[in-house]
Amino acid sequence: MKNYRIALLAGDGIGPEITEQAVKILRFVERRNAVSFELMPVAFGAAAWFDTGQSFPDASRAVCDDADAILKGPVGLGVEASKKIPVDEQPERGAILPMRRRYDTFANFRPARLPAELAHFSPLRPEVVGDGIDFVIIRELVGGIYFGEKELGVNAKGLRYARETLDYDEFQIERIARVGFETAQARKKKLHSIHKSNVMKSSVLWREVIGEVARDFPEVEVEEVLVDAAATYLCLNPGQFDVLVMENLFGDILSDQAGGIIGSLGLMPSACIGPDKAYYEPSHGSAPDIAGKNIANPYSMIGSAAMMLEMSFGMKEEADNLWRAMQSVFADGYSTPDLSRPHAGITMVSTDEFGDRVIAALKNAEPTVKQT
Ligand code: NAD
Ligand code: IPM
Ligand code: MN
């Protein structure tokens, strides 16, 4: 029997609530397939800082180093609560970025999917949603302004100033470009390259490298769009997009916009893939405004677990079963409150109940890893 070791980082805010649902589902998947998951809980985030003085403690690093994959809930505190933690130790700078750097998880997949029959989840009109929304943002995750040199100080005029540096070299661009082209090749052979080459030098280099990599993928049609215009087109005609590739900060912003377009950040899972290690996390944050109320949407976390099953463990069919099970819960008229629009006739369910309903729906699907 296959055994997978998974470092489990429940995180802050809604993290533990939605992680619990993903764990329930992994336990179910395990029971009915010839696999076992060794779930190793790991302290990470603000809670870890209060306990140990480190938001990515050394002991947690060791467990993550050893794991076959990492499943991570969101971390972070609200703006006021964050002030209790020194700026560089706050979980965004002190835990998430070090995790990304440590495992060189340069390729971040952020799928946004909304079938036509769930168009009522979207704030866009049904005719704009059309046949449904189904695109994936491929975000470079370990470069750009996030990882450049930073400085805060007082300048010669006595004014406080801040400096952030944005660096990309051709290797960094080429490897994410290849992920974009390979993904497009396997889907609809259409790639949108998003940049800001009318202003930024890094985008001039981006375009050059995209053009060079394109020669290796003659079947993929490339369309270039400036990032500001892309934000508009995503609202006006999301159906035109299939695979979008972009640098780190643009991907951060447009992927949250994607969550808005399909109705909730709670519908945004993600996979962060490096050369030797991958970790999986929702695209959104710890949602302090709804934490502890058992109302968060666990789709993003269960979806991140589904991406782990497919991308780290080769269990694509069971991952597909999971996506279908979640969609069927929605199609049956149930959702967490984030997706409940007035007059849409939706029955609101809790975080827990959503997880239970996904398991009930999964029971109708065949297991995929046969006992040998
Ligand atoms: P957020 O993503 O936590 O929340 C934005 C809005 O989306 C809120 O109204 C929230 O209630 C809603 N939302 C998010 N996830 C939801 C879900 N699963 N179900 C229902 N509604 C959901 O953004 P924020 O409030 O700006 O950030 C809160 C904290 O999270 C900050 O500390 C931030 O730095 C951190 N953060 C962490 C990650 C991460 O761990 N990868 C990602 C983004 C933000
Ligand atoms: C995300 C988050 C992170 C980012 C923060 C919390 C470091 O917003 O994963 O999208 O900006 O990448
Ligand atoms: Mn973000």
Side-chain angles (χ1 to χ4, degrees):
M1 194 198 303
K2 259 308 215 181
N3 178 49
Y4 296 109
R5 294 160 57 77
I6 303 169
L8 190 68
L9 288 52
D12 303 313
I14 59 170
E17 302 165 52
I18 58 175
T19 300
E20 197 185 315
Q21 306 315 309
V23 167
K24 261 179 4 197
I25 281 154
L26 287 173
R27 289 294 177 222
F28 178 80
V29 166
E30 177 182 52
R31 276 199 300 279
R32 72 195 205 126
N33 287 280
V35 293
S36 70
F37 300 126
E38 191 178 332
L39 301 178
M40 305 179 290
V42 164
F44 188 83
W49 190 84
F50 289 117
D51 281 353
T52 69
Q54 286 181 298
S55 47
F56 188 7
D58 298 337
S60 302
R61 285 173 204 243
V63 176
C64 291
D65 285 355
D66 221 31
D68 296 313
I70 300 166
L71 184 60
K72 172 194 160 295
V75 297
L77 299 175
V79 178
E80 272 310 303
S82 275
K83 291 182 184 159
K84 294 185 196 139
I85 306 180
V87 170
D88 287 328
E89 274 298 314
Q90 288 167 3
E92 296 83 348
R93 289 185 199 81
I96 299 179
L97 299 186
M99 161 97 92
R100 291 176 183 170
R101 192 199 294 270
R102 185 172 186 85
Y103 301 121
D104 196 20
T105 54
F106 69 97
N108 182 206
F109 292 74
R110 297 195 157 182
R113 251 182 250 143
L114 189 71
E117 57 276 21
L118 298 178
H120 54 278
F121 284 173
S122 173
L124 305 179
R125 302 165 70 91
E127 61 269 30
V128 176
V129 173
D131 296 334
I133 297 170
D134 183 2
F135 61 79
V136 56
I137 288 180
I138 296 185
R139 167 187 180 194
E140 200 289 327
L141 199 62
V142 296
I145 205 156
Y146 276 64
F147 289 89
E149 273 177 39
K150 295 170 193 299
E151 197 175 285
L152 269 179
V154 177
N155 67 16
K157 287 187 240 159
L159 300 173
R160 286 172 298 159
Y161 76 95
R163 177 178 299 136
E164 320 250 6
T165 321
L166 190 158
D167 286 310
Y168 268 112
D169 66 25
E170 59 182 314
F171 166 78
Q172 290 173 296
I173 300 173
E174 182 183 336
R175 66 177 181 169
I176 194 68
R178 286 197 180 279
V179 173
F181 276 96
E182 282 158 11
T183 308
Q185 177 78 35
R187 289 174 53 122
K188 294 188 179 158
K189 302 188 168 46
K190 172 100 195 197
L191 179 66
H192 280 89
S193 167
I194 309 297
H195 56 69
K196 183 78 186 170
S197 68
N198 52 348
V199 173
M200 295 169 72
K201 284 284 165 64
S202 54
S203 287
V204 172
L205 179 61
W206 174 275
R207 284 189 69 193
E208 268 177 40
V209 175
I210 291 276
E212 289 156 13
V213 176
R215 289 186 213 127
D216 293 341
F217 297 87
E219 288 176 49
V220 175
E221 183 196 339
V222 181
E223 195 167 325
E224 300 192 54
V225 190
L226 294 171
V227 63
D228 45 356
T232 305
Y233 299 147
L234 277 167
C235 292
L236 294 180
N237 182 10
Q240 72 183 288
F241 294 103
D242 191 55
V243 181
L244 302 87
V245 64
M246 64 199 76
E247 65 90 52
N248 202 346
L249 183 61
F250 297 164
D252 178 45
I253 296 168
L254 289 192
S255 60
D256 264 31
Q257 190 185 337
I261 287 167
I262 60 175
S264 172
L265 279 172
L267 292 178
M268 291 294 297
S270 93
C272 311
I273 311 287
D276 308 310
K277 182 85 82 183
Y279 86 91
Y280 300 84
E281 64 174 354
S283 299
H284 58 72
S286 56
D289 52 336
I290 57 166
K293 296 183 178 160
N294 195 22
I295 56 171
N297 189 344
Y299 178 103
S300 54
M301 194 73 200
I302 300 170
S304 299
M307 293 178 89
M308 175 180 76
L309 291 182
E310 174 174 349
M311 299 171 92
S312 281
F313 308 152
M315 295 176 69
K316 177 168 171 28
E317 286 173 56
E318 194 66 318
D320 286 346
N321 285 337
L322 260 171
W323 295 118
R324 271 193 295 273
M326 289 200 285
Q327 297 295 348
S328 80
V329 174
F330 290 141
D332 288 345
Y334 299 98
S335 88
T336 42
D338 50 315
L339 287 167
S340 183
R341 310 245 167 262
H343 315 302
I346 295 169
T347 304
M348 277 197 250
V349 292
S350 64
T351 308
D352 260 346
E353 190 179 342
F354 188 88
D356 293 340
R357 286 187 178 275
V358 173
I359 291 178
L362 264 180
K363 285 184 178 151
N364 299 322
E366 283 291 305
T368 56
V369 184
K370 301 283 183 285
Q371 213 81 39
T372 45

